[in-house]
Amino acid sequence: MPPRVTLPPSDADARTIRRSRVASFLLLTAAAVVFSLRPEVFGDPQGAPWHAVLHVWRIVVGIVLVVAALGVQVAVGVQWRRGLRRRAEGDADGPATPPGNQSPTDR
């Protein structure tokens, strides 16, 4: 298999990629905070019957945040690759005018 050549992202793509990384980082940070919450934060397990539900929801919310962070990265990657493919297909059609010196039309 020949090596792949990947073009560097354009300025707009670079901004989108940077923003997606920040969004993913924030989502992962929120997931880490949710995962780090201890059941004691929600009160005494004997005094609050909904304590077990909160403990389960803590895990569910953490997993949802991690999956959302992954989804952001996948969505931006797919969008970027589609843009690259679109630009490559546009270049494959060739330039509108052939390269080189143009001959005058009056000859």
Side-chain angles (χ1 to χ4, degrees), residues 27-52:
L27 287 168
L28 289 175
T29 302
V33 168
V34 168
F35 279 135
S36 69
L37 291 176
R38 296 288 171 232
E40 296 83 31
V41 172
F42 303 118
D44 181 28
Q46 306 302 330
W50 46 270
H51 178 78

Side-chain angles (χ1 to χ4, degrees), residues 9-81:
S10 66
D11 290 339
D13 290 338
R15 279 191 303 273
T16 302
I17 291 168
R18 191 176 321 113
R19 287 178 185 153
S20 73
R21 287 180 181 164
V22 169
S24 291
F25 177 77
L26 292 174
L27 287 168
L28 289 175
T29 302
V33 168
V34 168
F35 279 135
S36 69
L37 291 176
R38 296 288 171 232
E40 296 83 31
V41 172
F42 303 118
D44 181 28
Q46 306 302 330
W50 46 270
H51 178 78
V53 174
L54 286 175
H55 185 64
V56 170
W57 278 106
R58 173 180 67 98
I59 296 168
V60 170
V61 169
I63 291 172
V64 166
L65 289 170
V66 169
V67 170
L70 179 64
V72 166
Q73 291 300 304
V74 169
V76 169
V78 167
Q79 177 185 5
W80 181 55
R81 287 184 59 105

